[in-house]
Amino acid sequence: MLKVNNHQIYKDDKPFFYLADTCWSAFTNISNSDWKYYLDYRKQQGFDAIQINVLKQWDASGDDLNLYPFPITRHEDGSYSFDYTKINEKYFDRAEQMLFEMQKHDMVPVLVLMWCNYVPGTWASHLAINNQFPYEQIENYVKYVTNRFKKFNPIYFVSGDTDFPTEETIKYYREVFKVAKENDPNAIYTFHIKGRYEELPEEFKKQIDFFSYQSGHNFEGQHTAYDIPMHQRSLGFDKPIINTEPCYEQISYSRNMYGRYSAKDVRAASWSSVLSGANAGITYGAHGIWSWHHTGSTFGVVEGEGFDSPFDWHDAIHFNGANDIAFLKHIMEKEFPNGCQPTNIKINNEESIRSAINDKKDKMIIYLPTNTKVDLKDFDFNKENSHATVTDLLTYNTKNLDWFKPKTLNMSNVQSDSIIILSKE
């Protein structure tokens, strides 16, 4: 059973560091044998949760299963319509079997109930090639889903990638949330809101169990990985915060901008989030896994966010960035089992260097994007009272770090990004 206490999530009364992989298209795109392989691989790496869209992901890659939650009609212009009055039992039978496989792997399903392309007024509603969900069918759908899936103790995203521009939009999500809570009151709930966005209607913010945000895939918006949790903490938000969609590894910069995010970019977004107040966990994504792409298949909606082609999922599952983020989880569980709090102090007058401290204030961790000497003049850690180690995030090798001055750490020989841990002796 999952529950929330202060800034952390607990599972069976033990601290639970949320490490989710992004697999939005699982229910519509993945064969049973591939699903088992995928779960085996991610479990071995250290993942403990998978984020899945219950409905058809609007920008998923082409699929061969032809199995959807409702009867579908395809149109000559490429759009399609669902008959939301008729739930496809076969679709949910298979989805349930997939969740049983997750249960065997002791992994938490994180299920999106209503992605934004199904809801009037959202940014995606203007680009969607599907018909929108009738308001009067929400209760039947959400009641059915939550009653079928609650035995798996899921976390629910009420929304997927959404904004809240109109009263009608809010009305839709209010109904989804209300029906879900009525039928699965013991689950944990949050909203997955669109990239670089933190505005959530106050009525929802009071009800959620943790705050989910995404720093996303916009090149100019990567600073929101740390800006958003810092701002939410400054407003007094006192529940867990998780960046549930940092930049995906090897996804292109959004809006058709040339370039792709590297493993280092993903590390920077992830460590920056966790050390800036979003310390209950982190989500990883690989471009090719979330849409479950096969070479040669169609991909997504080219308008709007505008992403370049994904990698074949057989390749994307082996991106090394997944190991990097699993290593982040390992460090946090080992060194900061009760979480850490951001220091909110600029080191070397550089905001991209992030740092956090434990509750006893005798251990501090620093994420260093680029190697340099580290000035600790604003901290109670020095050569006389503390021991320092540095870990190369390319090799995971850890070694002692020397002091340059009583309040300055010497530069190591790490050639990429690193973490520094200071422990009072």
Side-chain angles (χ1 to χ4, degrees):
M1 184 69 69
L2 294 167
K3 65 179 182 180
V4 166
N5 185 23
N6 295 324
H7 293 185
Q8 303 302 120
I9 298 175
Y10 288 79
K11 184 179 180 182
D12 300 327
D13 296 322
K14 298 178 181 178
F16 174 79
F17 189 87
Y18 176 107
L19 179 62
D21 193 35
T22 308
C23 199
W24 301 132
S25 312
F27 289 166
T28 58
N29 283 45
I30 305 180
S31 70
N32 292 335
S33 59
D34 289 345
W35 180 242
K36 292 176 182 178
Y37 171 79
Y38 165 75
L39 292 178
D40 284 344
Y41 195 83
R42 286 296 193 237
K43 181 63 178 180
Q44 290 172 18
Q45 290 176 301
F47 286 84
D48 51 31
I50 307 290
Q51 297 178 174
I52 303 169
N53 188 355
V54 174
L55 300 174
K56 174 177 166 54
Q57 181 72 20
W58 73 311
D59 50 359
S61 296
D63 64 272
D64 297 324
L65 298 176
N66 198 30
L67 187 63
Y68 306 107
F70 309 96
I72 188 171
T73 300
R74 299 189 183 276
H75 307 294
E76 291 183 359
D77 63 359
S79 63
Y80 52 88
S81 300
F82 289 115
D83 181 355
Y84 296 106
T85 66
K86 299 176 182 177
I87 289 175
N88 184 353
E89 297 275 352
K90 289 183 179 179
Y91 175 85
F92 288 99
D93 288 344
R94 197 181 88 92
E96 189 169 320
Q97 288 304 311
M98 295 174 76
L99 296 184
F100 271 122
E101 285 297 326
M102 284 192 66
Q103 193 174 62
K104 292 177 185 177
H105 287 76
D106 193 27
M107 300 177 86
V108 175
V110 185
L111 305 177
V112 182
L113 292 171
M114 188 70 70
W115 207 272
C116 59
N117 60 295
Y118 293 93
V119 179
T122 65
W123 70 271
S125 67
H126 309 296
L127 302 170
I129 60 175
N130 60 276
N131 59 323
Q132 290 170 6
F133 216 104
Y135 180 83
E136 60 271 17
Q137 294 299 327
I138 290 176
E139 181 178 6
N140 184 52
Y141 156 69
V142 176
K143 183 178 181 180
Y144 178 86
V145 168
T146 50
N147 280 332
R148 270 203 92 152
F149 293 161
K150 63 184 177 183
K151 59 179 166 287
F152 300 108
N153 298 314
I155 293 172
Y156 288 109
F157 287 164
V158 176
S159 67
D161 206 22
T162 200
D163 51 0
F164 304 89
T166 71
E167 283 301 318
E168 185 178 23
T169 305
I170 296 171
K171 178 184 175 182
Y172 263 66
Y173 285 125
R174 182 185 296 126
E175 180 71 359
V176 174
F177 201 2
K178 178 181 78 71
V179 176
K181 289 279 284 185
E182 286 173 351
N183 288 277
D184 193 357
N186 296 319
I188 289 178
Y189 291 88
T190 190
F191 284 75
H192 183 65
I193 55 182
K194 72 176 187 178
R196 310 171 305 283
Y197 189 79
E198 58 180 314
E199 288 73 22
L200 184 64
E202 191 62 28
E203 64 177 282
F204 298 150
K205 198 168 185 181
K206 290 178 180 178
Q207 297 180 72
I208 57 175
D209 295 292
F210 69 93
F211 186 83
S212 160
Y213 74 102
Q214 55 162 312
S215 51
H217 319 292
N218 180 276
F219 184 78
E220 299 297 332
Q222 292 304 296
H223 60 91
T224 60
Y226 48 86
D227 282 346
I228 288 177
M230 286 176 63
H231 184 234
Q232 288 301 315
R233 292 302 185 207
S234 74
L235 294 175
F237 187 79
D238 203 31
K239 296 178 182 179
I241 300 177
I242 301 174
N243 187 348
T244 56
E245 193 171 329
C247 52
Y248 297 156
E249 187 172 6
Q250 289 302 322
I251 199 170
S252 60
Y253 308 141
S254 65
R255 300 179 183 177
N256 298 303
M257 182 178 176
Y258 179 69
R260 292 181 185 261
Y261 290 100
S262 68
K264 182 181 178 182
D265 296 322
V266 176
R267 291 197 300 270
S270 300
W271 279 104
S272 295
S273 301
V274 171
L275 302 189
S276 301
N279 61 359
I282 194 68
T283 297
Y284 170 80
H287 194 39
I289 294 296
W290 69 269
S291 65
W292 208 257
H293 191 72
H294 291 82
T295 300
S297 65
T298 58
F299 166 65
V301 180
V302 297
E303 297 86 2
E305 289 292 278
F307 296 117
D308 207 337
S309 296
F311 285 70
D312 188 288
W313 78 266
H314 297 85
D315 297 320
I317 198 171
H318 297 291
F319 291 166
N320 198 57
N323 295 318
D324 293 340
I325 308 310
F327 181 72
L328 182 158
K329 176 194 174 192
H330 167 73
I331 291 296
M332 297 308 296
E333 290 180 331
K334 178 184 176 183
E335 302 290 349
F336 299 89
N338 297 314
C340 59
Q341 301 303 318
T343 67
N344 295 325
I345 296 174
K346 282 187 181 180
I347 294 177
N348 293 9
N349 201 32
E350 173 54 54
E351 65 177 8
S352 68
I353 301 175
R354 311 306 304 170
S355 61
I357 198 164
N358 67 355
D359 54 352
K360 295 180 179 179
K361 301 188 185 306
D362 61 0
K363 184 175 290 188
M364 186 169 80
I365 182 169
I366 301 168
Y367 173 70
L368 202 60
T370 302
N371 205 352
T372 187
K373 295 176 183 176
V374 178
D375 187 347
L376 297 174
K377 61 182 176 60
D378 297 315
F379 299 93
D380 187 28
F381 291 86
N382 57 56
K383 184 177 182 179
E384 300 303 320
N385 69 10
S386 304
H387 173 72
T389 61
V390 59
T391 301
D392 186 332
L393 293 179
L394 276 181
T395 64
Y396 312 141
N397 289 331
T398 299
K399 59 184 179 181
N400 294 333
L401 187 59
D402 295 328
W403 294 82
F404 179 69
K405 294 178 180 178
K407 297 283 282 185
T408 303
L409 290 170
N410 210 347
M411 190 176 83
S412 71
N413 62 356
V414 173
Q415 297 178 37
S416 186
D417 51 341
S418 60
I419 54 165
I420 294 170
I421 295 180
L422 290 150
S423 303
K424 289 189 177 178
E425 298 174 330

